[in-house]
Amino acid sequence: MRSSPLIGIATFLATKILISTLIVGLVILGLSLLIGRYFCGWICPLGTVIDLSDRLHQKFLRGKPNTIRPLRAWKYSILIVILIAALFSTQVIWFFDPIVIITRSMTAAVYPLIAFLLESGLKLLLSVGILQDQLFSLYDLFRQRILPINPIFFQQSMTFAVIFIGILLLGLLARRFWCRYLCPLGALFGSFATLRFTQGIAVASDKCIDCGKCQRICKMDAINADYRSHARSECIECMSCVAVCPTSAISYQLRPKFAPQRIDISRRRFVYSSASGLIALGLIKTGFKNPIATGQVVRPPGALPEPEFLNRCVRCQECVKICSTTGACLQPGLLESGWEGLWTPLVNARHGYCEYNCNLCGKVCPTGAIHPLELSQKQQLRMGTAYFDKSRCIPWYRGEDCLVCEEHCPLPDKAIKFDIREARRPDGTVAVVKFPYVDEKLCIGCGICVTKCPVPGPGGLFLTNAHQQRWGQEAEF
Amino acid sequence: MNRREFLRIAAASGAAVAGGISNGALFGSYDQLESHARLAVVQNGLPAAMVQKAIEALGGIGRFVKRGDVVVVKPNIGWDRVPEQAATTNPEVVAEIVRLCLHAGASKVKVFDRTCNEPRRCYHRSQIEQLARQAGAEVSHIYEQKFKTAAIPNGQQLKSWPFYADALEADVYINVPIAKHHSLSRLTLGLKNTMGIIGGNRGQIHNHFDQKIVDLNTVIRPQLTIIDAVRILVNNGPQGGNLNDVKETKTIIASIDPVAADAYAATLFGLRPTELSFLVEAQKRGLGSFDFNQMKIEKIDLKA
Ligand code: SF4
Ligand code: SF4
């Protein structure tokens, strides 16, 4: 994630703060002035996966190397929209950046899927009823190594999977479809590559016999019809052509040569993209004045103040994944915090709670959207506050003891207290009952009371972001 | 004696035998065991030494564990807390019991608990996982698949509930709770420790708690209860977290009678057994007794 220059640049534009990610990104980007789109060919993990799936697709396409060259311009449009949006402090890079896409797909679709399949397979075998003991030890082994203790659930695995599979299926239209036509990071590297100071792929005209093998093998459709020149913005330095040429006419050379080429984007397209970027941006921004004022948006502990958080968070779901094996409270949101907050991590306290002794989400967040906290800091930081729904809480509406919430409250001095009073039950009898209430001064909003409340449905308490304390801020009282 | 008469007598004696058996199972056949203490209290020693002495006083581990038995040792691993915080059973106590069982020839000693916090964290931080494993126990996490719904024929509130199969099927079940404060039931001890082997929505046990907890304990009947009171949590239980709430009492209480063990532990908190309504209910329903005058108690002070 830190290696994607696009994230660094877009985050810089959005936050106007210099962050270390930017420096690393710029170095990586700068290298392409020497060796072109090397990143796409040799480093990008999404590119690698696309190559693998393309190889499968080739079985069906059999030697039909499609080309849809006019689409090359699209990626620049996407890049422009992203940068314009970032300039106006709206981050959308998380939707398009390939590094983020692959991370998100792996953490929130592939991993849960594999875990689910393994788990279900084992359960199926167990239900057959033979070799139980051996199966349970196998199960134990899996749980120690790869499987989470409890099955994990992601609210939007399906969405992420559909996008990921869609990108792979585009390979049926043309190889590396995403990289050729859509990827904004590719566009960024591509633009730098046209300005490179070195030669790269070079063809010895006299040795070339016009067999066209190089053009057919080129995943990126970078080689021109004359077989002697290529689009520098497209070549990803994979060197397949060097290897395939029967007369060794193609070589790879790092000798200095500066020959900038035109990028495949017309002035008109540039204007259109910019304009549509602005319109989309405006619409996103006019959605809610303050989406989190509803109180339902509770962020992980250590989350930056909301605007900064939105700019930093790339929706990689790393925090959600790590949390699913501990507290299981974090889930990717939908539109709870507005369009700008799509897929950002939210606490769903009825689904899971924040483990008192856990501070992992801040540790894994690659962009600092969640600040890494010491355990002692985290244990005092307020994510929000829980409140009782007295029309649902057992002692309050039924006049019977319960106190499950109080039992689970992890604070050394419990944030849930109770009064002992007489209660008149619905049937008219009178009993002495423990009535719980939340001490607002103490509650840190971990949500365990909400998770564990035995009342079916929404439960007898609910979690809000009242009194939340974002990183670097005081709690709002 | 004609045929009908014979059948009547046979049926009657059959019933008597059956009754005797179930009574014996219910009350642990105290009468035959009078030579040993029914309740042992050991104080002021190291955890392992106190465990050894306590079991010795009850007649030795061999009285409970036979060669080849599968034993379940059920500690409280409910919380993600370190032993010093006295929210989970002392790991050395657990380990020593495991060791004794294996020494007595147990074919397998299983240690598990259905935790409240994330299981891996609890198993690890409580140190029970490491120490029990070192002692030779099979320490595993709970599997949803292993919960089997069992009937509770003598249940008043609950007629059936899912129980963990390993606990139901064990030859010997040793309950090893830690003594702690609890806001709802005042204390959590042996009887409440049974909640760690039940499935379902455990929160629902909390109302009509006294009756429900006794209901559950009519199904799971430990041959031996060993209460860890090396450190007890006197406030903000059952999780604690504040070391000021922890009191070092350096005590191990062991008994074949789960009610007697709990009742004695209550006295460490300055409570009379009658102040704990679940104990009153348990005694009333015949799970055991806290009539200390009527039982043989052995108190051992390792300092002296
Ligand atoms: S600190 Fe809380 S929110 Fe973050 S990963 Fe851990 S349990 Fe989840
Ligand atoms: S908060 Fe951090 S870890 Fe979580 S999705 Fe956003 S960028 Fe990734």
Side-chain angles (χ1 to χ4, degrees):
Chain A
M1 213 79 54
R2 289 166 216 275
S3 63
S4 166
L6 193 46
I7 295 181
I9 293 171
T11 311
F12 168 66
L13 286 179
T15 58
K16 324 277 188 291
I17 306 171
L18 257 176
I19 48 174
S20 59
T21 338
L22 178 65
I23 318 268
V24 182
L26 285 182
V27 171
I28 291 172
L29 185 57
L31 270 178
S32 48
L33 289 176
L34 282 177
I35 45 176
R37 263 177 91 171
Y38 72 100
F39 187 91
C40 309
W42 295 98
I43 297 177
C44 179
L46 183 61
T48 315
V49 175
I50 291 179
D51 273 346
L52 290 175
S53 90
D54 279 354
R55 216 175 285 169
L56 279 180
H57 295 332
Q58 286 311 299
K59 296 236 158 88
F60 301 101
L61 281 177
R62 204 142 305 152
K64 257 200 291 145
N66 278 356
T67 160
I68 327 175
R69 285 203 179 163
L71 298 191
R72 275 182 183 174
W74 285 13
K75 58 179 177 291
Y76 298 106
S77 304
I78 294 177
L79 177 62
I80 290 164
V81 170
I82 291 172
L83 294 181
I84 293 223
L87 201 56
F88 285 90
S89 294
T90 299
Q91 236 353 346
V92 288
I93 178 64
W94 46 268
F95 195 90
F96 297 100
D97 186 276
I99 315 284
V100 176
I101 291 179
I102 189 87
T103 317
R104 184 161 56 218
S105 311
M106 290 300 154
T107 50
V110 177
Y111 173 69
L113 180 69
I114 292 176
F116 173 78
L117 291 179
L118 270 177
E119 182 108 24
S120 317
L122 282 166
K123 279 186 193 158
L124 195 70
L125 288 176
L126 277 171
S127 67
V128 177
I130 46 167
L131 295 177
Q132 295 266 356
D133 279 355
Q134 288 84 339
L135 279 170
F136 272 119
S137 8
L138 184 69
Y139 204 161
D140 252 346
L141 194 74
F142 273 147
R143 287 216 290 204
Q144 273 160 32
R145 305 287 142 117
I146 29 180
L147 280 181
I149 287 284
N150 301 311
I152 50 177
F153 300 97
F154 275 98
Q155 271 164 19
Q156 293 183 49
S157 310
M158 191 54 125
T159 321
F160 301 137
V162 164
I163 293 175
F164 185 53
I165 293 169
I167 288 175
L168 297 185
L169 284 182
L170 283 174
L172 283 169
L173 298 175
R175 279 177 294 160
R176 284 250 191 178
F177 188 102
W178 163 264
C179 313
R180 287 184 194 181
Y181 309 132
L182 299 178
C183 181
L185 184 59
L188 186 64
F189 276 117
S191 344
F192 270 65
T194 63
L195 300 174
R196 67 191 289 175
F197 297 108
T198 58
Q199 168 68 46
I201 299 295
V203 183
S205 279
D206 45 333
K207 280 208 216 158
C208 170
I209 53 169
D210 295 298
C211 66
K213 279 195 175 151
C214 55
Q215 200 190 46
R216 278 195 298 279
I217 200 148
C218 179
K219 303 177 220 182
M220 292 301 290
D221 189 25
I223 297 175
N224 294 333
D226 63 1
Y227 305 142
R228 279 157 180 80
S229 59
H230 70 279
R232 289 180 145 193
S233 61
E234 300 298 306
C235 171
I236 57 170
E237 325 279 304
C238 73
M239 316 228 190
S240 313
C241 52
V242 179
V244 83
C245 179
T247 65
S248 308
I250 312 181
S251 57
Y252 188 78
Q253 298 175 1
L254 280 181
R255 74 182 145 79
K257 177 162 178 211
F258 184 64
Q261 295 174 339
R262 243 188 65 75
I263 306 182
D264 304 270
I265 180 163
S266 62
R267 191 165 306 153
R268 188 186 302 160
R269 180 173 270 275
F270 185 86
V271 175
Y272 271 133
S273 321
S274 315
S276 45
L278 276 174
I279 291 172
L281 171 83
L283 290 176
I284 290 178
K285 279 288 186 194
T286 46
F288 272 115
K289 182 157 178 256
N290 178 6
I292 67 169
T294 56
Q296 275 146 28
V297 174
V298 179
R299 296 289 184 206
L304 301 187
E306 188 70 6
E308 268 176 73
F309 176 78
L310 289 178
N311 283 334
R312 289 274 189 110
C313 174
V314 291
R315 282 72 158 168
C316 62
Q317 311 304 330
E318 291 284 4
C319 55
V320 177
K321 178 183 166 211
I322 202 83
C323 187
S324 73
T325 57
T326 56
C329 51
L330 296 184
Q331 286 289 337
L334 209 48
L335 298 178
E336 298 89 338
S337 52
W339 279 88
E340 267 190 287
L342 182 71
W343 301 345
T344 47
L346 290 178
V347 172
N348 181 338
R350 203 56 182 143
H351 183 273
Y353 62 96
C354 179
E355 278 287 351
Y356 189 61
N357 286 333
C358 172
N359 56 354
L360 290 174
C361 50
K363 296 239 154 103
V364 298
C365 178
T367 65
I370 309 173
H371 188 85
L373 301 170
E374 293 302 321
L375 203 51
S376 54
Q377 286 176 311
K378 142 64 220 287
Q379 288 171 341
Q380 282 164 21
L381 195 119
R382 293 163 194 275
M383 301 160 65
T385 308
Y387 292 96
F388 278 97
D389 178 345
K390 294 184 178 170
S391 65
R392 302 185 52 79
C393 168
I394 294 172
W396 288 100
Y397 90 96
R398 228 160 64 193
E400 290 169 17
D401 272 333
C402 176
L403 283 198
V404 173
C405 47
E406 190 265 0
E407 173 180 48
H408 284 87
C409 179
L411 298 189
D413 184 10
K414 304 231 175 226
I416 293 181
K417 311 259 181 235
F418 56 91
D419 291 330
I420 306 177
R421 276 187 275 123
E422 273 190 354
R424 184 173 293 277
R425 294 185 173 157
D427 64 3
T429 56
V430 172
V432 176
V433 174
K434 293 168 175 155
F435 287 96
Y437 63 90
V438 173
D439 185 334
E440 279 190 325
K441 288 269 164 342
L442 294 174
C443 177
I444 58 166
C446 75
I448 192 169
C449 48
V450 179
T451 312
K452 304 281 182 175
C453 174
V455 175
L461 310 88
F462 53 97
L463 184 64
T464 71
N465 62 19
H467 314 316
Q468 65 173 326
Q469 187 183 6
R470 294 303 184 83
W471 176 245
Q473 293 187 333
E474 289 300 308
E476 310 160 355
F477 264 99
Chain B
M1 186 162 61
N2 63 24
R3 199 167 149 265
R4 184 180 296 156
E5 239 175 324
F6 171 80
L7 282 178
R8 201 179 38 121
I9 293 170
S13 48
V17 169
I21 288 170
S22 72
N23 246 3
L26 229 79
F27 296 111
S29 321
Y30 302 133
D31 333 48
Q32 309 134 32
L33 306 171
E34 274 315 323
S35 52
H36 305 298
R38 191 197 292 186
L39 178 72
V41 181
V42 186
Q43 290 193 298
N44 297 323
L46 291 173
M50 289 195 287
V51 168
Q52 288 166 9
K53 279 280 175 251
I55 294 181
E56 234 166 67
L58 297 183
I61 190 74
R63 230 188 92 192
F64 306 98
V65 179
K66 300 275 169 291
R67 186 154 294 280
D69 278 353
V70 174
V71 182
V72 164
V73 171
K74 162 65 178 71
N76 182 334
I77 327 180
W79 310 98
D80 182 14
R81 295 284 201 225
V82 292
E84 290 72 28
Q85 289 169 319
T88 46
T89 306
N90 188 306
E92 292 172 46
V93 168
V94 180
E96 185 57 27
I97 298 170
V98 169
R99 232 172 269 128
L100 289 173
C101 293
L102 288 171
H103 196 71
S107 64
K108 200 183 258 182
V109 180
K110 299 183 179 182
V111 173
F112 51 80
D113 190 17
R114 183 175 168 204
T115 63
C116 296
N117 291 137
E118 203 274 329
R120 260 183 288 214
R121 291 178 168 272
C122 302
Y123 274 49
H124 181 78
R125 203 178 298 255
S126 67
Q127 292 180 24
I128 291 175
E129 183 169 37
Q130 299 93 299
L131 294 196
R133 228 175 240 154
Q134 270 169 27
E138 182 188 295
V139 183
S140 61
H141 289 291
I142 294 293
Y143 291 93
E144 277 308 315
Q145 293 84 346
K146 284 198 186 175
F147 285 108
K148 305 247 148 62
T149 302
I152 310 181
N154 297 322
Q156 302 222 320
Q157 289 278 337
L158 307 172
K159 287 297 166 199
S160 70
W161 199 269
F163 287 83
Y164 205 57
D166 288 10
L168 289 174
E169 289 158 11
D171 299 315
V172 183
Y173 182 86
I174 304 179
N175 196 13
V176 195
I178 174 168
K180 293 186 283 182
H181 164 264
H182 190 279
S183 291
L184 178 69
S185 55
R186 301 194 72 168
L187 295 180
T188 159
L189 303 158
L191 294 179
K192 189 167 182 303
N193 198 32
T194 302
M195 289 192 60
I197 53 151
I198 64 167
N201 183 344
R202 291 189 291 188
Q204 282 165 359
I205 302 294
H206 269 218
N207 61 67
H208 302 291
F209 175 80
D210 301 338
Q211 286 173 345
K212 287 183 183 172
I213 199 69
V214 172
D215 287 352
L216 295 174
N217 277 281
T218 60
V219 176
I220 290 290
R221 314 184 57 88
Q223 280 84 339
L224 184 56
T225 302
I226 301 176
I227 299 183
D228 157 29
V230 176
R231 303 181 187 95
I232 62 176
L233 186 59
V234 295
N235 221 331
N236 289 313
Q239 278 195 76
N242 187 344
L243 290 182
N244 294 330
D245 293 333
V246 177
K247 202 167 127 194
E248 285 219 32
T249 38
K250 293 201 182 145
T251 304
I252 291 288
I253 299 158
S255 179
I256 51 174
D257 177 340
V259 178
D262 278 13
Y264 193 89
T267 61
L268 296 180
F269 294 81
L271 291 174
R272 272 170 287 118
T274 44
E275 289 178 271
L276 295 177
S277 46
F278 66 90
L279 282 184
V280 174
E281 176 78 13
Q283 173 164 279
K284 191 175 97 202
R285 305 253 301 266
L287 283 188
S289 141
F290 49 74
D291 189 353
F292 295 134
N293 296 325
Q294 296 296 314
M295 64 180 84
K296 190 171 164 199
I297 301 178
E298 192 162 335
K299 293 191 188 176
I300 303 166
D301 191 336
L302 291 180
K303 259 275 169 49

